[in-house]
Amino acid sequence: MGGCAYTGRSKGGAVNARKHRLLTWSILPAAAALALALTACDLAPKQPPASEPATSAPAGEFSPTATVQDIMLAMVDPKADAIWNSVATVVTLEGTEEKRPQTEEDWIALRHDAITLVEATNLLLMMDRKVAKPGVKSENPGIELEPEDIQKRIEQDPETWKKMVHGLHDASVVMLEAVDARNVDMLFDNGGNLDAACETCHRQYWYPDPEHHAPPPSEAEKALRESADAGTNPAAGAWPIPGLGGGGTGTIEGHVKLAGKLPGNTVIRMGMDPKCADATRGKQVVQEEFALEADGSLANVFVQLAGKFPETAVPSAPVIVGQSDCVFTPRVVGARVGQLVQFKNDDPLLHNVHGMSATTNTFNIAQPMQGMVSDVRLAEEDGMLHVKCDVHRWMNAWIGVVEHPYFAVSDRAGAFVIRGVPAGEHTVVAWHEKLGSLEQKVGVEPGAIVPIELIYPEASL
């Protein structure tokens, strides 16, 4: 997220530079005479061989080399992030920190970022620029459009492309003006417009569904889901392995913590949606990427046993994920393959629930009204399924989708319990959205309670 480097120059350095320029100008006539003498025997311009045609563009015309993807990765994304992150409120266990440009060097570096971002939009408007190099494929097929599909959308409706890019340009110019005015409040207040310009373009060209708001499930769909859910499945809890008595299983009681300096969480800028701002007025809602206690205990870590296990009944009780105060709650949950997940909108405003799956668990459901409940049945194992709200870009949740019942999510104290574990050697795998994965071996004896401590090193950050 860094900005451009800035190197200050001392007064003495400036004087030396001026002396150097004077010296340079004093030797230029002699250098020019020498150059003319050396080249007198070959003054005619050299032409390329007939078999090697010139590849330069005609005078006055552009010859784009970088692709749209290149410009986005090298210029737009890092510079927009740098500007966005330059002003933030971070809540830590020690208190609240206000992140602001502090020095003249900070402002100059930020100005470099803003200028780069503004001019990158002009590069995106150049004709004949390709979206990506030949052969490049989406890293998330089925979730994001392939480059050739994005290229078609731009070519079929170039005016919409221009409109989107101009929107980003105008939002970027305002940020540049804020930097030039050294106005922190202006940076903060207009950051939402920059974010909205980016996301509007993403919706149009990145996702297979440009409207991004699928209709709520029909009554027929609801009836089908209810009939599929009917049966005699046991409730969630402990699931014994068929063929094994209570003495053939044990319990894993664990704790997850982060070592070293504990990071904070950024306060969400709800002003990007006035309705969210009204709903959370007087509250300080943070992007809780790190749910920590003072001793480093870490919540929202999904923990499971690796490997395959005999089939067990899928719980009939649904997993419930709410949307309250414009955030998902809980942020991390676990669910079985075939289990019902219910998403409930507790806010008096529009949300949508978008499952970013690489398998068949993809879904995209609009929830325009408070109290709406939408059902999703997870079809296959999916690792950590990322769920987002496309209306509010900061809203994120994760669902660990697994075939067996041996999983848990660490609580506010960093604790978790996995019951009914078959006796034997197992690998415990922990996952955190920012810290990644940890693995640890554990041996479980019949009827025993096995303690385990999972520690993320400070280097994980």
Side-chain angles (χ1 to χ4, degrees):
M1 305 296 180
C4 302
Y6 169 75
T7 303
R9 178 183 292 175
S10 67
K11 182 177 180 181
V15 172
N16 289 335
R18 287 194 295 272
K19 290 180 179 178
H20 175 74
R21 286 195 294 271
L22 289 172
L23 177 61
T24 301
W25 283 110
S26 68
I27 65 172
L28 276 178
L34 178 60
L36 286 173
L38 291 174
T39 58
C41 59
D42 192 14
L43 292 176
K46 295 182 179 180
Q47 301 295 330
S51 59
E52 299 179 9
T55 57
S56 60
E61 294 186 12
F62 298 108
S63 180
T65 300
T67 64
V68 171
Q69 183 185 48
D70 292 332
I71 293 172
M72 294 300 297
L73 293 176
M75 301 174 72
V76 176
D77 289 350
K79 302 310 179 185
D81 285 346
I83 295 169
W84 172 265
N85 292 324
S86 65
V87 181
T89 301
V90 180
V91 177
T92 69
L93 293 171
E94 289 76 28
T96 301
E97 300 174 0
E98 298 295 337
K99 183 179 178 183
R100 304 286 189 268
Q102 299 293 329
T103 66
E104 184 63 14
E105 291 186 2
D106 291 342
W107 284 109
I108 291 174
L110 198 58
R111 189 173 195 276
H112 292 171
D113 295 331
I115 289 174
T116 300
L117 182 60
V118 170
E119 294 305 327
T121 62
N122 291 322
L123 295 178
L124 291 173
L125 289 171
M126 289 174 62
M127 300 297 294
D128 300 324
R129 190 181 299 283
K130 299 299 182 183
V131 167
K133 290 182 171 63
V136 172
K137 296 296 181 183
S138 168
E139 294 181 358
N140 299 290
I143 299 174
E144 300 168 357
L145 285 174
E146 295 294 341
E148 57 267 26
D149 297 320
I150 299 175
Q151 188 82 49
K152 289 178 182 177
R153 285 192 179 182
I154 294 174
E155 292 174 351
Q156 290 170 356
D157 187 2
E159 291 306 311
T160 295
W161 170 252
K162 293 177 184 177
K163 180 180 177 181
M164 296 287 180
V165 176
H166 280 301
L168 177 58
H169 173 273
D170 294 346
S172 302
V173 167
V174 173
M175 302 308 281
L176 176 58
E177 292 172 349
V179 172
D180 285 341
R182 303 297 192 263
N183 191 326
V184 171
D185 291 337
M186 187 177 177
L187 267 178
F188 187 93
D189 294 340
N190 289 281
N193 295 332
L194 178 62
D195 182 80
C198 293
E199 188 61 15
T200 300
C201 194
H202 294 165
R203 293 186 192 187
Q204 180 68 27
Y205 296 107
W206 201 348
Y207 302 120
D209 174 18
E211 297 300 325
H212 238 56
H213 297 303
S218 65
E219 292 302 315
E221 290 174 320
K222 290 180 180 179
L224 183 62
R225 288 169 179 169
E226 289 171 358
S227 65
D229 193 37
T232 57
N233 293 332
W239 300 273
I241 294 293
L244 292 177
T249 66
T251 299
I252 298 175
E253 291 188 353
H255 179 255
V256 187
K257 69 179 298 183
L258 173 62
K261 181 177 173 58
L262 304 181
N265 295 299
T266 304
V267 174
I268 298 171
R269 291 151 76 167
M270 294 289 184
M272 288 187 286
D273 184 336
K275 291 185 177 180
C276 285
D278 290 340
T280 59
R281 196 169 304 281
K283 302 177 183 179
Q284 194 175 58
V285 184
V286 300
Q287 184 70 278
E288 199 169 34
E289 296 171 337
F290 297 96
L292 288 158
E293 296 295 323
D295 64 352
S297 296
L298 182 62
N300 290 337
V301 177
F302 183 77
V303 185
Q304 65 170 312
L305 299 187
K308 299 291 184 180
F309 298 89
E311 291 186 7
T312 59
V314 175
S316 59
V319 174
I320 299 175
V321 179
Q323 296 169 94
S324 179
D325 287 342
C326 294
V327 295
F328 284 110
T329 179
R331 190 179 180 92
V332 180
V333 297
R336 296 281 303 278
V337 172
Q339 190 171 7
L340 196 68
V341 179
Q342 290 185 329
F343 295 93
K344 182 182 179 183
N345 183 5
D346 295 315
D347 291 327
L349 49 92
L350 169 69
H351 288 302
N352 89 308
V353 185
H354 190 176
M356 309 291 286
S357 173
T359 68
T360 57
N361 292 326
T362 299
F363 51 87
N364 193 1
I365 305 168
Q367 293 190 316
M369 294 180 293
Q370 188 174 28
M372 283 191 66
V373 177
S374 301
D375 295 345
V376 173
R377 192 174 296 280
L378 303 171
E380 59 182 306
E381 199 164 55
D382 203 8
M384 297 306 298
L385 172 61
H386 183 196
V387 180
K388 60 181 291 189
C389 172
D390 298 312
V391 183
H392 306 106
R393 195 176 177 187
W394 63 82
M395 292 180 62
N396 295 285
W398 282 265
I399 304 174
V401 186
V402 292
E403 294 180 340
H404 59 72
Y406 310 112
F407 61 85
V409 178
S410 62
D411 62 17
R412 302 299 300 190
F416 66 90
V417 178
I418 303 177
R419 298 183 175 88
V421 178
E425 294 292 323
H426 298 283
T427 299
V428 177
V429 181
W431 176 92
H432 183 268
E433 61 179 278
K434 290 296 182 182
L435 302 174
S437 297
L438 279 179
E439 292 188 5
Q440 189 166 319
K441 298 290 186 180
V442 63
V444 177
E445 296 182 359
I449 297 177
V450 183
I452 182 175
E453 184 82 2
L454 298 170
I455 303 176
Y456 280 97
E458 185 176 13
S460 300
L461 291 172

